[in-house]
Amino acid sequence: MPDDKGAARRKKRSASGAAPPAANAPEPAIAALLDENRLYPPSPEFAKSAQVRDDALYREADADLEAFWASRAAELDWFVKWHKVLDWNVPDAKWFVGGKLNVAYNCVDRHIRGARRNKAAILWVGEPGDRRTLTYWDLYREVNRFANGLKKLGVKKGDRVAVYMPMVPELAIAMLACARIGAVHSVVFGGFSAESLRDRILDSEAKVLITADGGYRRGTILPLKHDADEAVKQCPLIEHVVVFKRGDFQVHMKEGRDHWWHRIVDGQSDDCWPEPMDSEDLLFTLYTSGTTGKPKGIVHTTGGYLTGTTATTKWVFDLREEDVYFCTADCGWITGHSYIVYGPLANGATTVMYEGAPDWPDKDRFWQIVEELGVTIFYTAPTAIRAFMKWGPEWPAKHRLTSLRLLGSVGEPINPEAWMWYHKHIGAETCPIVDTWWQTETGMILIAPLPGVTVARPGSATRPLPGIVADVVDEKGETVDVGGGYLVLRKPWPAMLRGIWGDPERFRQNYWSRFPGVYFTGDGAKRDKDGYFWLLGRVDDVMNVAGHRLSTMEVESALVDHPSVAEAAVVGRAHELKGTAIVAFVTIREGREHAAAILDDLKEHVVQKIGKIAKPDEIILTADLPKTRSGKIMRRLLRDIAEGKAVGDTTTLADPGVIARLKTKYEDQES
Ligand code: PRX
């Protein structure tokens, strides 16, 4: 009785109450969200002393968008002022044309002249419990010495430098050192596999790789240098590998190619002239998943990026001089770039970096850090919040969290239950929560509350920030004033991506072709009668798994790479904790014997190809996949099966019988 099982599963999922709306959320999910009537205005005390206290910024931006952003840019230190604020030729934007500045100078040098010289810039906590504090003065010296070291290795302005490191201060130092000398960093998340690293190095044509002997994660060692060696074997352009010694891990150092970090900086001067960069010179590339199997290198430039991240850090997190700001992301993602390193440091803030897992050695690790460092602002992902909920309120209750005054969320829609839990158990019902919507491509937060002004609603990222013109449109690109549709951005913004590395056509196609002249985010959204935006997840083949972007195609390519696999189709299914779980439907090659261990084998193969984050939650072996007469796999139907829903229209299928067979198979395998 397959249908009964499906119904039971549906019930189980909705009873958990924690699953966020899935991609392509059906109407009931939207309706449930919009029934969300709880309102959380800023408290009078918070509003009174907030960085932004009224809607003047919105009005200023509405009156003159370019002048508005120029005022924000003027808060940075420029070597040469721009002569034109914006040069906009869809889809190519140039911000602050002719201006010259240096990002490292803005993040470090300008703070060492005054009272911030001995202020903590980075408070670092290693997973085993070791701690380091780098003041702005320390950071200045470390960045300069490493920048000089890179120069000595021959790194010049415009060269690409790949970075594959654990969350140690040297990761931020490496990024800033590149920025200082005008090299373009491309940070690759330490959890990615050797093959993923290799692909990114090859695509960016990096000539130097910065890594570490290893890093700690959940008590085990991440074998970074080992994986880097594997990757570099197939990267002929890599001339040097710099290795930071994080632990006492056994690694092989290749004579002439590999250099210990401490040797590179030894004897280097504490001063290194910051390269005056053109506002539109490249700052970094960062790879993210799109709808195809090949990740794309998102390109960010200098002046606009720093203007956008600096201003939004101040507004959205209400950043003040005395704050201790803790963002739990990894610098391998855009959140780490914009809101651990560049935004906070440009504001002269104290930013916390933590190396390890949230549940190591125990499930109160974050709360222990909050207590020990007196964290005031805490920024994490809904997937983490749902894990905290599962672990129970007793873990945060063990700690004094009274230093906290503001909480943030990023990466996926935050379901109202998680919002309420965060508010109650972490925020003591007093901290405002900022739900921040943005993307690797946007570089900066675009939709979020201003915590001293906006009335928050659990589950809504509220309204576009000042200077951001977002819209919800229908299939034809026409504005939907109230209701659901596609989220687009109608006007350029300073930190927007400037392209996809080496692929201008894909840039146009991906973002600018669906609705000509406007940027398509790939997200669905609903706008309510008060103008609040409710994000509904991806409308394309990109999955958001535990806050990380992966394309279904990427996982499919990894699966079909296995010698036993003939065909694979991957879909996302709502998951209580991770937001989305990966479900793969796989056809095994004829004549291939498949042992019982094949499922584990296939999962491991994906881990090898991409990394742990892409490991499928479930693999269903099937003799055939639902296809149209022209041979296209209908993933929509597979998603229905994986979600335990009534299967949609099957009339275009070449063999409608395949669905019934698959459903039975799926439900048998699940039970
Ligand atoms: O679907 C949206 C979701 O994450 C996507 C961007 O992923 P990535 O480039 O990896 O950047 C994540 C960190 C900025 C978006 O297209 N997303 C991000 N923030 C939110 C969100 N969905 C709903 N609410 C959010 N606050």
Side-chain angles (χ1 to χ4, degrees):
M1 299 258 290
D3 282 334
D4 288 344
K5 280 192 203 152
R9 204 172 29 254
R10 262 197 312 283
K11 212 160 148 203
K12 196 170 99 205
R13 281 199 192 109
S14 59
S16 76
N24 308 317
E27 278 304 316
I30 301 174
L33 265 183
L34 293 183
D35 281 344
E36 184 52 62
N37 285 322
R38 287 171 283 202
L39 302 179
Y40 289 88
S43 70
E45 308 83 76
F46 191 97
K48 202 168 65 201
S49 54
Q51 286 279 9
V52 184
R53 294 171 210 178
D54 56 32
D55 59 3
L57 280 179
Y58 293 104
R59 280 185 275 117
E60 190 189 329
D62 287 348
D64 186 341
L65 192 79
E66 291 186 21
F68 171 79
W69 284 118
S71 301
R72 309 294 78 81
E75 291 171 22
L76 301 175
D77 278 17
W78 295 77
F79 300 140
V80 177
K81 202 184 162 193
W82 60 90
H83 55 76
K84 189 171 185 205
V85 177
L86 173 65
D87 191 344
W88 178 224
N89 222 322
V90 183
D92 300 314
K94 291 194 175 82
W95 281 90
F96 313 116
V97 184
K100 289 202 185 294
L101 75 168
N102 183 282
V103 166
Y105 182 92
N106 273 278
C107 289
V108 186
D109 301 38
R110 65 181 179 146
H111 307 310
I112 61 169
R113 291 187 220 110
R116 289 181 184 145
R117 171 180 285 229
N118 279 313
K119 176 177 176 176
I122 297 177
L123 291 176
W124 176 77
V125 181
E127 197 188 68
D130 36 351
R131 263 170 60 175
R132 278 165 67 195
T133 300
L134 277 92
T135 64
Y136 274 96
W137 180 243
D138 294 330
L139 191 60
Y140 172 82
R141 297 169 70 218
E142 298 277 354
V143 168
N144 286 348
R145 291 167 68 202
F146 190 60
N148 283 327
L150 287 178
K151 275 186 172 173
K152 204 170 155 202
L153 291 180
V155 180
K156 296 183 303 298
K157 180 178 170 184
D159 287 343
R160 270 82 59 211
V161 173
V163 182
Y164 185 60
M165 293 187 84
M167 277 289 283
V168 289
E170 281 66 21
L171 171 48
I173 291 167
M175 293 163 73
L176 290 162
C178 288
R180 189 162 196 98
I181 62 176
V184 179
H185 60 69
S186 189
V187 183
V188 179
F189 173 54
F192 275 125
S193 67
E195 287 196 29
S196 293
L197 173 64
R198 176 202 63 196
D199 293 348
R200 285 156 176 76
I201 294 176
L202 287 175
D203 191 76
S204 63
E205 298 176 308
K207 68 182 218 189
V208 169
L209 169 65
I210 305 171
T211 186
D213 53 352
Y216 292 97
R217 183 80 192 177
R218 208 165 267 118
T220 60
I221 294 160
L222 276 181
L224 294 169
K225 175 64 164 69
H226 173 269
D227 287 357
D229 287 342
E230 285 301 304
V232 169
K233 269 186 201 157
Q234 295 169 59
C235 299
L237 293 184
I238 290 285
E239 294 166 16
H240 300 285
V241 177
V242 180
V243 187
F244 173 70
K245 197 169 176 54
R246 163 68 184 109
D248 236 338
F249 312 134
Q250 280 295 319
V251 293
H252 171 70
M253 296 292 279
K254 186 172 170 186
E255 187 72 35
R257 184 197 70 183
D258 297 351
H259 317 267
W260 286 109
W261 175 298
H262 52 271
R263 298 255 166 80
I264 292 281
V265 296
D266 198 30
Q268 293 295 342
S269 158
D270 287 351
D271 294 304
C272 172
W273 179 244
E275 185 75 34
M277 300 293 281
D278 190 275
S279 179
E280 282 301 331
D281 277 337
L282 262 57
L283 177 61
F284 66 87
T285 64
L286 185 61
Y287 285 80
T288 190
S289 299
T291 50
T292 71
K294 188 172 173 264
K296 46 195 179 183
I298 301 300
V299 172
H300 282 289
T301 59
T302 303
Y305 174 80
L306 198 64
T307 300
T309 50
T310 308
T312 50
T313 306
K314 191 159 89 183
W315 300 337
V316 177
F317 300 108
D318 186 49
L319 200 63
R320 297 196 214 138
E321 198 58 56
E322 63 278 16
D323 276 318
V324 175
Y325 166 92
F326 180 17
C327 166
T328 68
D330 190 288
C331 288
W333 310 111
I334 191 67
T335 307
H337 283 60
S338 301
Y339 297 107
I340 293 180
V341 179
Y342 293 122
L345 295 178
N347 278 288
T350 297
T351 184
V352 175
M353 280 177 89
Y354 169 55
E355 179 186 31
D359 55 352
W360 189 266
D362 236 322
K363 297 183 171 63
D364 57 347
R365 190 61 191 272
F366 283 172
W367 320 126
Q368 182 196 17
I369 294 173
V370 168
E371 180 172 10
E372 284 180 6
L373 303 182
V375 170
T376 58
I377 301 171
F378 180 77
Y379 188 31
T380 197
T383 208
I385 300 168
R386 290 191 292 267
F388 307 150
M389 286 171 76
K390 190 174 142 216
W391 297 337
E394 56 274 25
W395 294 99
K398 285 184 184 186
H399 295 275
R400 185 189 150 109
L401 304 181
T402 47
S403 55
L404 287 173
R405 65 178 196 87
L406 185 136
L407 305 175
S409 164
V410 60
E412 14 159 2
I414 178 167
N415 44 304
E417 288 73 12
W419 197 103
M420 293 305 299
W421 192 94
Y422 200 27
H423 174 69
K424 181 165 176 207
H425 296 289
I426 310 300
E429 299 185 346
T430 53
C431 300
I433 296 180
V434 290
D435 175 4
T436 62
W437 178 89
W438 58 297
Q439 308 178 300
T440 305
E441 292 87 341
T442 70
M444 65 195 244
I445 297 170
L446 297 191
I447 305 180
L450 293 177
V453 178
T454 314
V455 177
R457 290 192 187 173
S460 170
T462 74
R463 298 204 296 144
L465 289 176
I468 300 304
V469 186
D471 200 3
V472 176
V473 300
D474 62 17
E475 285 288 346
K476 293 197 203 94
E478 276 161 28
T479 296
V480 177
D481 283 326
V482 176
Y486 302 103
L487 180 66
V488 298
L489 299 159
R490 290 202 175 276
K491 293 264 168 74
W493 64 99
M496 66 195 279
L497 78 166
R498 301 299 198 268
I500 294 177
W501 178 258
D503 202 344
E505 189 41 43
R506 192 173 172 199
F507 173 55
R508 257 171 211 284
Q509 267 296 323
N510 264 219
Y511 306 104
W512 305 93
S513 66
R514 179 132 185 198
F515 305 110
V518 294
Y519 172 90
F520 177 44
T521 62
D523 278 5
K526 187 139 183 166
R527 180 163 38 200
D528 70 15
K529 60 180 184 346
D530 301 317
Y532 275 46
F533 286 67
W534 302 78
L535 277 306
L536 300 172
R538 304 289 307 191
V539 293
D540 51 17
D541 288 328
V542 174
M543 298 176 288
N544 201 326
V545 182
H548 301 139
R549 250 164 88 167
L550 282 168
S551 82
T552 54
M553 281 262 290
E554 231 173 324
V555 184
E556 285 167 11
S557 318
L559 283 166
V560 296
D561 178 78
H562 190 282
S564 298
V565 174
E567 209 169 21
V570 166
V571 296
R573 183 192 74 200
H575 184 275
E576 209 181 338
L577 284 182
K578 300 199 282 188
T580 305
I582 302 176
V583 181
F585 294 84
V586 171
T587 308
I588 298 292
R589 275 181 199 281
E590 258 179 59
R592 281 263 170 187
E593 285 297 312
H594 52 270
I598 183 80
L599 297 180
D600 289 339
D601 212 39
L602 293 178
K603 287 182 186 176
E604 200 38 47
H605 192 71
V606 177
V607 172
Q608 283 294 323
K609 299 292 292 180
I610 306 176
K612 267 205 184 115
I613 53 168
K615 184 171 173 176
D617 292 82
E618 265 184 89
I619 296 181
I620 317 296
L621 299 181
T622 171
D624 26 36
L625 290 166
K627 292 187 183 158
T628 58
R629 275 171 218 108
S630 59
K632 194 168 170 283
I633 299 173
M634 294 191 72
R635 287 183 184 70
R636 176 172 57 78
L637 302 180
L638 291 173
R639 203 176 303 132
D640 288 344
I641 293 175
E643 296 260 3
K645 285 189 204 144
V647 175
D649 184 8
T650 57
T651 49
T652 52
L653 280 181
D655 169 15
V658 75
I659 289 296
R661 293 197 293 278
L662 252 176
K663 266 190 109 175
T664 317
K665 177 101 200 192
Y666 179 67
E667 282 156 4
D668 285 351
Q669 197 161 317
E670 265 224 316
S671 57

Coordinates of all heavy atoms in Angstrom, one line a residue, residues 288-289 298 333-335 339 379 382 409-414 434-445 447 459-461 487 519 521-524 534-539 542-544 547-550, ligand 1:
T288 N 31.1 28.7 -6.7 CA 29.8 28.3 -6.2 C 29.1 27.5 -7.2 O 29.4 27.5 -8.4 CB 29.0 29.5 -5.7 OG1 27.9 29.0 -5.0 CG2 28.5 30.4 -6.8
S289 N 28.1 26.7 -6.7 CA 27.4 25.8 -7.6 C 26.3 26.6 -8.4 O 25.6 27.4 -7.8 CB 26.8 24.7 -6.9 OG 27.7 24.0 -6.2
I298 N 32.9 33.0 -9.1 CA 32.2 34.3 -9.1 C 33.3 35.4 -8.8 O 34.1 35.3 -7.9 CB 31.2 34.4 -7.9 CG1 30.1 33.3 -8.1 CG2 30.5 35.7 -7.8 CD1 29.3 33.4 -9.4
W333 N 33.4 30.2 2.4 CA 32.2 30.6 1.8 C 32.1 32.1 1.8 O 32.9 32.8 2.5 CB 31.0 30.1 2.6 CG 31.0 28.6 3.0 CD1 31.2 28.1 4.2 CD2 30.9 27.5 2.0 NE1 31.2 26.7 4.1 CE2 31.0 26.3 2.8 CE3 30.7 27.4 0.7 CZ2 31.0 25.1 2.2 CZ3 30.6 26.2 0.1 CH2 30.8 25.0 0.8
I334 N 31.2 32.6 1.1 CA 31.1 34.1 0.9 C 30.8 34.7 2.3 O 31.3 35.8 2.6 CB 30.0 34.5 -0.1 CG1 30.1 36.0 -0.5 CG2 28.6 34.1 0.3 CD1 31.3 36.4 -1.2
T335 N 30.1 34.1 3.1 CA 29.7 34.7 4.4 C 31.0 35.0 5.2 O 31.2 36.0 5.8 CB 28.8 33.8 5.2 OG1 27.7 33.5 4.4 CG2 28.3 34.5 6.5
Y339 N 31.6 38.7 5.9 CA 31.1 39.0 7.3 C 31.9 38.4 8.4 O 31.5 38.3 9.5 CB 29.6 38.8 7.4 CG 28.9 39.7 6.5 CD1 28.2 39.3 5.3 CD2 28.8 41.1 6.7 CE1 27.6 40.1 4.5 CE2 28.2 42.0 5.9 CZ 27.6 41.5 4.7 OH 26.9 42.3 3.9
Y379 N 26.1 35.3 14.6 CA 25.5 35.2 13.3 C 25.7 33.8 12.8 O 26.8 33.3 12.8 CB 26.3 36.2 12.4 CG 25.8 36.4 11.0 CD1 24.4 36.3 10.6 CD2 26.7 36.7 9.9 CE1 24.0 36.5 9.3 CE2 26.3 37.0 8.6 CZ 24.9 36.9 8.3 OH 24.5 37.1 7.0
P382 N 20.3 28.8 9.7 CA 19.2 28.1 10.2 C 19.4 26.6 10.5 O 18.9 26.0 11.4 CB 18.1 28.3 9.1 CG 18.5 29.6 8.5 CD 20.0 29.6 8.5
S409 N 20.9 35.5 11.1 CA 20.7 34.2 10.4 C 20.9 34.4 8.9 O 20.6 35.4 8.4 CB 19.2 33.8 10.7 OG 18.8 32.7 9.8
V410 N 21.5 33.4 8.3 CA 21.8 33.4 6.9 C 21.9 32.1 6.2 O 22.3 31.1 6.9 CB 23.2 34.2 6.7 CG1 24.4 33.4 7.3 CG2 23.5 34.3 5.2
G411 N 21.7 32.0 4.9 CA 22.0 30.8 4.1 C 20.8 30.1 3.6 O 20.8 29.4 2.6
E412 N 19.6 30.2 4.3 CA 18.4 29.5 3.9 C 17.3 30.2 4.6 O 17.5 30.9 5.5 CB 18.5 28.0 4.2 CG 19.5 27.7 5.1 CD 19.4 26.4 5.9 OE1 18.5 25.6 5.7 OE2 20.3 26.2 6.7
P413 N 16.1 29.8 4.2 CA 14.9 30.4 4.9 C 14.9 29.9 6.3 O 15.2 28.7 6.5 CB 13.7 29.8 4.1 CG 14.3 29.4 2.8 CD 15.7 29.0 3.0
I414 N 14.7 30.8 7.2 CA 14.6 30.4 8.6 C 13.1 30.1 8.9 O 12.3 31.0 8.8 CB 15.2 31.3 9.6 CG1 15.1 30.8 11.1 CG2 14.8 32.8 9.5 CD1 15.9 31.6 12.1
V434 N 18.2 39.4 13.0 CA 18.3 39.8 11.6 C 18.4 38.6 10.7 O 19.4 37.9 10.7 CB 19.4 40.9 11.3 CG1 19.1 42.2 12.0 CG2 20.8 40.4 11.8
D435 N 17.4 38.4 9.9 CA 17.4 37.3 8.9 C 17.9 37.9 7.6 O 17.2 38.8 7.0 CB 16.0 36.8 8.7 CG 15.8 35.7 7.6 OD1 16.9 35.4 7.0 OD2 14.7 35.3 7.4
T436 N 19.1 37.5 7.2 CA 19.8 38.2 6.1 C 19.7 37.4 4.8 O 20.3 36.3 4.8 CB 21.2 38.5 6.5 OG1 21.9 37.3 6.7 CG2 21.3 39.3 7.8
W437 N 19.2 37.9 3.8 CA 19.2 37.2 2.5 C 20.2 37.8 1.6 O 20.3 39.0 1.4 CB 17.8 37.3 1.8 CG 17.9 36.7 0.4 CD1 17.6 35.3 0.2 CD2 18.3 37.2 -0.8 NE1 17.9 35.1 -1.1 CE2 18.3 36.2 -1.8 CE3 18.7 38.5 -1.2 CZ2 18.7 36.4 -3.1 CZ3 19.1 38.7 -2.5 CH2 19.0 37.6 -3.5
W438 N 21.0 37.0 1.0 CA 22.0 37.4 0.0 C 22.6 36.2 -0.6 O 22.2 35.0 -0.3 CB 23.0 38.3 0.6 CG 23.8 37.8 1.7 CD1 23.4 37.5 3.0 CD2 25.2 37.7 1.8 NE1 24.4 37.1 3.8 CE2 25.6 37.2 3.1 CE3 26.3 37.8 0.9 CZ2 26.9 36.9 3.5 CZ3 27.6 37.6 1.3 CH2 27.9 37.1 2.6
Q439 N 23.6 36.3 -1.5 CA 24.2 35.2 -2.2 C 25.7 35.5 -2.4 O 26.2 36.6 -2.3 CB 23.6 35.1 -3.6 CG 22.1 35.1 -3.7 CD 21.6 35.1 -5.1 OE1 21.8 36.0 -5.9 NE2 20.8 34.0 -5.4
T440 N 26.4 34.4 -2.8 CA 27.8 34.6 -3.2 C 27.9 35.7 -4.3 O 28.8 36.5 -4.2 CB 28.3 33.2 -3.8 OG1 28.1 32.2 -2.9 CG2 29.8 33.3 -4.2
E441 N 27.0 35.7 -5.2 CA 27.0 36.7 -6.3 C 26.7 38.1 -5.8 O 27.2 39.0 -6.4 CB 25.9 36.3 -7.3 CG 26.1 35.0 -8.1 CD 25.6 33.8 -7.4 OE1 25.4 33.8 -6.2 OE2 25.5 32.7 -8.1
T442 N 25.9 38.2 -4.8 CA 25.5 39.6 -4.4 C 26.6 40.2 -3.5 O 26.7 41.4 -3.4 CB 24.2 39.7 -3.6 OG1 24.4 39.1 -2.3 CG2 23.1 39.0 -4.4
G443 N 27.5 39.4 -3.0 CA 28.6 39.9 -2.2 C 28.3 40.5 -0.9 O 29.1 40.4 0.1
M444 N 27.1 41.1 -0.8 CA 26.7 41.8 0.5 C 25.3 41.4 0.8 O 24.5 41.0 -0.2 CB 26.9 43.3 0.3 CG 25.9 43.8 -0.8 SD 26.3 45.5 -1.3 CE 24.9 46.4 -0.7
I445 N 24.8 41.6 2.0 CA 23.4 41.4 2.4 C 22.6 42.4 1.6 O 22.9 43.6 1.5 CB 23.3 41.6 3.9 CG1 24.1 40.6 4.6 CG2 21.8 41.5 4.3 CD1 24.2 40.9 6.1
I447 N 18.7 41.8 1.5 CA 17.4 41.9 2.1 C 17.5 41.5 3.6 O 18.0 40.4 3.9 CB 16.3 41.0 1.5 CG1 16.3 41.3 -0.1 CG2 15.0 41.2 2.1 CD1 15.3 40.4 -0.8
G459 N 10.5 34.4 10.1 CA 10.4 33.7 8.8 C 10.5 34.7 7.6 O 10.6 34.2 6.4
S460 N 10.6 36.0 7.8 CA 10.7 36.9 6.7 C 12.0 37.7 6.9 O 12.4 38.1 8.0 CB 9.6 37.9 6.8 OG 9.8 39.0 5.8
A461 N 12.7 37.8 5.7 CA 14.0 38.6 5.7 C 13.6 40.1 5.7 O 14.5 41.0 5.6 CB 14.9 38.2 4.6
L487 N 12.3 36.2 -7.4 CA 13.0 37.4 -6.9 C 14.1 37.9 -7.8 O 14.9 37.2 -8.3 CB 13.7 36.9 -5.6 CG 14.5 38.0 -4.8 CD1 13.5 39.1 -4.3 CD2 15.3 37.5 -3.7
Y519 N 18.6 41.4 -12.8 CA 19.3 40.3 -12.3 C 18.3 39.2 -11.7 O 17.5 39.6 -10.9 CB 20.3 40.8 -11.2 CG 21.0 39.7 -10.5 CD1 22.2 39.2 -10.9 CD2 20.4 39.1 -9.3 CE1 22.9 38.2 -10.2 CE2 21.1 38.1 -8.6 CZ 22.3 37.6 -9.1 OH 22.9 36.6 -8.4
T521 N 17.8 36.1 -9.4 CA 18.5 35.5 -8.3 C 18.4 34.0 -8.3 O 19.2 33.3 -7.6 CB 17.8 35.9 -6.9 OG1 16.5 35.5 -6.9 CG2 17.8 37.4 -6.8
G522 N 17.4 33.4 -9.0 CA 17.3 31.9 -8.9 C 16.4 31.5 -7.7 O 16.1 30.4 -7.5
D523 N 15.9 32.5 -6.9 CA 15.1 32.2 -5.7 C 13.6 32.6 -6.0 O 13.3 33.5 -6.7 CB 15.6 33.1 -4.5 CG 16.7 32.4 -3.8 OD1 17.2 31.4 -4.3 OD2 17.1 33.0 -2.8
G524 N 12.8 31.8 -5.4 CA 11.4 32.2 -5.4 C 11.1 33.1 -4.1 O 11.8 32.9 -3.1
W534 N 9.3 37.2 1.7 CA 9.4 35.8 2.3 C 10.1 34.9 1.3 O 9.5 34.6 0.2 CB 8.0 35.3 2.6 CG 7.2 36.2 3.5 CD1 6.6 37.4 3.2 CD2 7.0 36.0 4.9 NE1 6.0 37.9 4.3 CE2 6.2 37.1 5.4 CE3 7.4 35.1 5.9 CZ2 5.9 37.3 6.7 CZ3 7.0 35.2 7.2 CH2 6.3 36.3 7.6
L535 N 11.3 34.5 1.6 CA 12.1 33.7 0.7 C 11.6 32.3 0.7 O 11.4 31.7 1.7 CB 13.5 33.8 1.1 CG 14.3 35.0 0.6 CD1 14.2 35.2 -0.9 CD2 13.9 36.3 1.3
L536 N 11.5 31.7 -0.5 CA 10.9 30.4 -0.6 C 11.9 29.3 -1.1 O 11.5 28.3 -1.5 CB 9.7 30.5 -1.5 CG 8.6 31.4 -1.1 CD1 7.5 31.6 -2.1 CD2 8.0 30.9 0.2
G537 N 13.2 29.7 -1.2 CA 14.1 28.7 -1.7 C 14.3 28.8 -3.2 O 13.7 29.6 -3.9
R538 N 15.2 27.9 -3.7 CA 15.6 28.0 -5.1 C 14.5 27.5 -6.1 O 13.7 26.6 -5.7 CB 16.8 27.1 -5.3 CG 18.0 27.4 -4.5 CD 18.7 28.6 -4.8 NE 19.1 28.7 -6.2 CZ 19.9 29.7 -6.6 NH1 20.4 30.6 -5.8 NH2 20.2 29.7 -7.9
V539 N 14.4 28.1 -7.2 CA 13.5 27.6 -8.2 C 14.2 26.9 -9.4 O 13.6 26.5 -10.3 CB 12.6 28.8 -8.8 CG1 11.7 29.4 -7.7 CG2 13.5 29.8 -9.4
V542 N 19.4 24.1 -8.2 CA 20.4 24.3 -7.1 C 19.8 23.9 -5.8 O 18.7 24.3 -5.5 CB 20.9 25.7 -7.1 CG1 21.8 26.0 -5.9 CG2 21.6 26.1 -8.4
M543 N 20.5 23.0 -5.1 CA 20.0 22.6 -3.7 C 20.7 23.4 -2.7 O 21.8 23.8 -2.9 CB 20.2 21.2 -3.5 CG 19.6 20.2 -4.5 SD 20.1 18.5 -4.2 CE 21.8 18.5 -4.7
N544 N 20.0 23.6 -1.6 CA 20.6 24.3 -0.5 C 20.7 23.3 0.7 O 19.8 23.2 1.5 CB 19.8 25.5 -0.1 CG 20.6 26.5 0.6 OD1 21.5 26.2 1.4 ND2 20.3 27.8 0.4
G547 N 22.7 24.8 4.3 CA 23.2 26.1 4.0 C 24.3 26.2 2.9 O 24.8 27.3 2.7
H548 N 24.6 25.1 2.3 CA 25.6 25.1 1.3 C 25.0 24.8 -0.1 O 24.1 23.9 -0.2 CB 26.7 24.0 1.5 CG 27.4 24.2 2.8 ND1 27.7 23.2 3.7 CD2 27.8 25.4 3.4 CE1 28.3 23.7 4.7 NE2 28.3 25.0 4.6
R549 N 25.4 25.5 -1.1 CA 24.8 25.4 -2.4 C 25.5 24.2 -3.1 O 26.7 24.1 -3.2 CB 25.1 26.7 -3.1 CG 23.9 27.5 -3.4 CD 24.3 28.8 -3.7 NE 24.5 28.9 -5.2 CZ 24.7 30.1 -5.8 NH1 24.6 31.2 -5.1 NH2 24.8 30.1 -7.1
L550 N 24.6 23.4 -3.7 CA 25.1 22.3 -4.6 C 24.2 22.2 -5.7 O 22.9 22.3 -5.5 CB 25.1 21.0 -3.8 CG 26.2 20.8 -2.8 CD1 25.8 19.6 -1.9 CD2 27.5 20.5 -3.5
Ligands
PRX1 O1 18.5 30.5 -1.9 C1 19.1 31.6 -1.2 C2 19.7 31.1 0.1 O2 21.1 30.8 -0.3 C3 21.3 31.1 -1.6 C4 22.7 31.7 -1.8 O3 23.6 30.7 -1.4 P1 25.2 31.1 -1.3 O4 25.6 31.8 -2.5 O5 25.9 29.9 -0.9 O6 25.2 32.2 -0.2 C5 24.8 31.8 1.1 C6 25.2 32.9 2.1 C7 24.8 34.3 1.7 C8 20.2 32.1 -2.0 O7 20.0 32.1 -3.4 N1 19.6 32.1 1.1 C9 20.6 32.8 1.6 N2 20.2 33.6 2.7 C10 18.9 33.3 2.8 C11 18.5 32.4 1.8 N3 17.3 32.0 1.7 C12 16.4 32.5 2.6 N4 16.6 33.3 3.5 C13 17.9 33.8 3.7 N5 18.2 34.6 4.7

